[in-house]
Structure formats: structure tokens, C-alpha cells
Amino acid sequence: MAQINNEHHRWRLPAEWEAQDFVQLTWPHRGTDWLPTIGEITATYVQMAVEIAHRERLLIVAPDPEEALAAIRREAGEAIMRNIFTLACPTDDTWARDHAFISLTDGSRRRLLDFRFNGWGDKFEAAKDNAINRNLYAAGLIEGAYEDHTDFVLEGGAIESDGRGTVFTTSGCLLAPHRNQPMTRQGIEDYLKKALRAERIVWIDHGQLTGDDTDGHIDTLVRTAPGDTLLYVGCDDPEDEQYGELQAMEQQLRTLVTADGRPYRLLRLPMPRPIVRDGERLPATYANFLVVNGAVLCPTYAQPDLDEEAASIIGTAFPGRDIVCIDCRSVIVQHGSLHCCTMQYPKIQSGQLA
């Protein structure tokens, strides 16, 4: 593990709704599992790119960034294009949430934590994606101090921060095989508290979406919002195979309290009706939204009643922000959604893309 200095109390993992410097997208290409649906997924990524770059800077990582830029330019003006920066880099896939840096800030500086990404427990090839952070840092595109945690497996989708020292995660993911064995739950918690400079780790012990490759990432289940708010996916159908786990998760959430002992404000998101492809149910979830400067990008699944309900609830959690709906049916075919595709980097006083 990287050496951590005595500035523990100064550094923190910011909440997603705090001011951002830029967002990273790792672009889909024909050398990935996206090949059969490359047109559809590229169109979705273009929409994400335009919405992000309209509000803040956007970093695109791709083997051929010019291909991505050409696709965006067909839909965007030059003001958008000026907000986009690129890194040419080999990639295995597109899930920036899980292979990108996890950033800490002290308000004026940034620390870039590079954890090991191993394809969600050696399920998929990940060597190229695992090297993106080192390539990005070597290129000088991000200001911040590099911190090497590549002896520990952690994906960004596995943690959620309130920005005030509480980090949420799931036991299903962090205790899953082929990640950090033989470490115990307590050992993993101790590591996370030190690495993330967290005061406490809150473990969610229930909740698993059918078809999820991540073993239960927190960003598919429970998300933080201002005012000690937790948004979470619920399920009312006893015939749904996810019903028992999500009911147990909801019961656990009702028992949780903040660091100062108060109950959380709980906002329940609907569960999308099953989306099935080739006989397999896909892990669609409205919890996989992305907060950017001035807006929240919300996944939708061509289920107008539920899409509208979810967007309204998310808007309640983030008042004053634009609510931008993005059809994520093209993303869910590879078992992820909007948040999984993205990684935000916190704003710092001197931070900029070179």
C-alpha cells in the first residue's frame, strides 16, 4: 500500500455533487464487446459527451480519439468541442467508473488514487484498462499527486461518499472471490479507511441485481445525495427474483444513521420492468445516475411511466439542477449503465487539464 502521510484529516473523498473539474469517458470501439452494437453505443456516448461538455470539461480516453471526436463533432458546436481533451491509449473496454483514478481533495489539491482493476474479480480481461491511469498520469493530463494502490483491488462503482467522511460499500462486492483474499472484512475496512481518509465505512449487506457482473456495486443500489439523503432501488413484486434481497436491503437502510446519529432521509427509486436480451435479464437500475456541474444525467429504459417517476425522485434529491434523461438501453446490453461509463474529478483551485 502507498505510504500515507499525517495529513489524513485534511484529505477526503468528495461527494459527487461537489464542484467538478472534468469527467472521463473511455470510448467504445470495435475491438471490444461493443462490436455488435457499436452504432447504438456510440450514439449514446455522443449524447453523454455533449451533455457533459456543455457543463464542464470532458476527457476522452480511446485508442483512436479522432474517431470519437468526429462522432461528437457531427452533433456539437465548437463551444462543446473546445471543452474536450483526449488521451490516445489502448483499452479493453469502456467502464471508466471502475478503472479510472479515485480522487481525493483537500480543497486546493488533488490526490489520484490508482487501485488495481482486475475485471471485477478476474471475470474479464483488464490489463489494458488497468494501465490507463498510469498512461494518463505519464501524459501529464491531470494535476494531482499520484498514489499507488495497485496492490489492492477496488472499483469506483463499489464506493459512494457523502463527502464528510462516510463511505458506503457492499459486502457482496468487496468480499467476493478474486479481489482481495485472504483479507478479512475488518482488514478491508481498515484499508479503505486509511486509503480513502474515511472516518467510517458503512457496509450494505443485501442487494444484488440479476445479470450484474460486479457482485453488487453500490452505484447500482444505493446513492448519496445532499442533506443526508440516500436514494435506493426498491422492489414491490414478490414474484421478482430480486424481491427478497432488495426488501432486506431496504430494511437495513432504515436502521442506518448518520455519523451524528440521525436517520437518513430515504428516497425510493422504482425498479425498471425486466429487460431481457437473448433470454438473459439485464441489470437495469435508476440508481446509476451521474451528477455533473449544474445537472444530473439520469438513465432511462423506454419505460415512460417509470422513467418519469425516477427522474422526478432524483430531481427531488438534487434541487436546482437540470435533470437530463439519457436512454441507456444501448449500455445495459453489456450489463452497465450511465454512471458506470463515467468518472468525475473534483475541482481544485489550480487544477486543469494540460
Side-chain angles (χ1 to χ4, degrees):
M1 178 178 176
Q3 292 297 314
I4 295 173
N5 60 27
N6 294 325
E7 297 180 304
H8 178 102
H9 66 287
R10 299 177 58 185
W11 294 97
R12 62 188 181 86
L13 180 63
E16 190 168 302
W17 59 85
E18 297 181 43
Q20 298 175 10
D21 223 352
F22 61 96
V23 169
Q24 177 180 334
L25 283 176
T26 303
W27 204 261
H29 58 87
R30 291 173 178 79
T32 66
D33 290 342
W34 293 112
L35 177 60
T37 58
I38 192 65
E40 295 93 329
I41 192 61
T42 298
T44 302
Y45 266 68
V46 167
Q47 186 181 2
M48 284 193 285
V50 170
E51 293 293 346
I52 293 166
H54 177 62
R55 296 169 173 88
E56 60 189 89
R57 290 175 291 179
L58 173 67
L59 168 67
I60 292 175
V61 176
D64 181 7
E66 288 304 317
E67 184 176 347
L69 292 174
I72 298 169
R73 191 172 283 110
R74 287 192 287 269
E75 303 294 331
E78 281 307 309
I80 294 291
M81 301 308 299
R82 284 194 294 270
N83 248 3
I84 300 176
F85 303 81
T86 65
L87 173 73
C89 179
T91 64
D92 296 300
D93 213 323
T94 54
W95 308 110
R97 179 62 46 179
D98 296 339
H99 60 243
F101 282 116
I102 295 171
S103 302
L104 306 182
T105 180
D106 68 352
S108 61
R109 298 172 296 171
R110 186 162 48 217
R111 295 191 76 84
L112 303 167
L113 277 54
D114 187 8
F115 292 91
R116 183 157 60 93
F117 175 60
N118 72 345
W120 310 286
D122 294 327
K123 296 184 182 74
F124 302 96
E125 176 57 43
K128 294 175 184 175
D129 287 346
N130 190 48
I132 290 173
N133 290 341
R134 294 187 292 279
N135 289 326
L136 188 55
Y137 191 74
L141 287 177
I142 304 182
E143 183 172 343
Y146 180 92
E147 196 168 288
D148 189 349
H149 292 273
T150 52
D151 57 349
F152 188 88
V153 175
L154 181 68
E155 303 106 33
I159 54 174
E160 182 77 4
S161 174
D162 69 352
R164 302 197 314 275
T166 296
V167 173
F168 294 82
T169 192
T170 65
S171 53
C173 174
L174 288 194
L175 302 181
H178 307 296
R179 279 185 166 86
N180 291 303
Q181 285 78 12
M183 293 181 72
T184 64
R185 173 167 167 154
Q186 187 60 54
I188 290 171
E189 176 169 328
D190 291 343
Y191 190 108
L192 290 177
K193 288 169 77 171
K194 290 181 180 179
L196 302 176
R197 282 59 157 187
E199 299 301 320
R200 63 178 191 146
I201 306 296
V202 176
W203 295 81
I204 305 300
D205 295 314
H206 305 279
Q208 173 74 34
L209 301 182
T210 302
D212 174 27
D213 293 321
T214 71
D215 303 303
H217 270 183
I218 193 77
D219 73 346
T220 67
L221 300 167
V222 181
R223 303 292 305 282
T224 59
D228 292 325
T229 298
L230 299 178
L231 297 104
Y232 69 98
V233 294
C235 183
D236 293 317
D237 181 5
E239 301 302 314
D240 191 309
E241 60 198 308
Q242 304 169 137
Y243 177 79
E245 274 290 295
L246 294 179
Q247 287 283 311
M249 183 185 79
E250 185 172 40
Q251 290 300 318
Q252 183 181 7
L253 293 177
R254 289 173 178 161
T255 71
L256 299 181
V257 294
T258 63
D260 54 2
R262 292 177 291 112
Y264 283 96
R265 174 196 186 203
L266 300 179
L267 296 180
R268 191 177 198 256
L269 294 167
M271 171 60 62
R273 286 182 284 274
I275 300 174
V276 178
R277 183 181 176 93
D278 297 330
E280 175 189 33
R281 182 172 180 173
L282 303 175
T285 171
Y286 292 112
N288 208 245
F289 56 83
L290 173 71
V291 186
V292 296
N293 292 340
V296 185
L297 309 188
C298 303
T300 61
Y301 303 100
Q303 300 179 15
D305 55 336
L306 297 178
D307 293 346
E308 183 178 345
E309 179 185 355
S312 176
I313 293 168
I314 293 169
T316 298
F318 296 96
R321 292 179 186 259
D322 296 336
I323 302 299
V324 180
C325 294
I326 294 181
D327 188 338
C328 285
R329 287 177 294 168
S330 63
V331 188
I332 203 67
V333 299
Q334 289 294 340
H335 302 224
S337 199
L338 197 153
H339 194 251
C340 303
C341 301
T342 57
M343 176 56 85
Q344 75 285 343
Y345 289 77
K347 186 109 179 136
I348 57 176
Q349 289 180 6
S350 58
Q352 62 180 11
L353 280 173

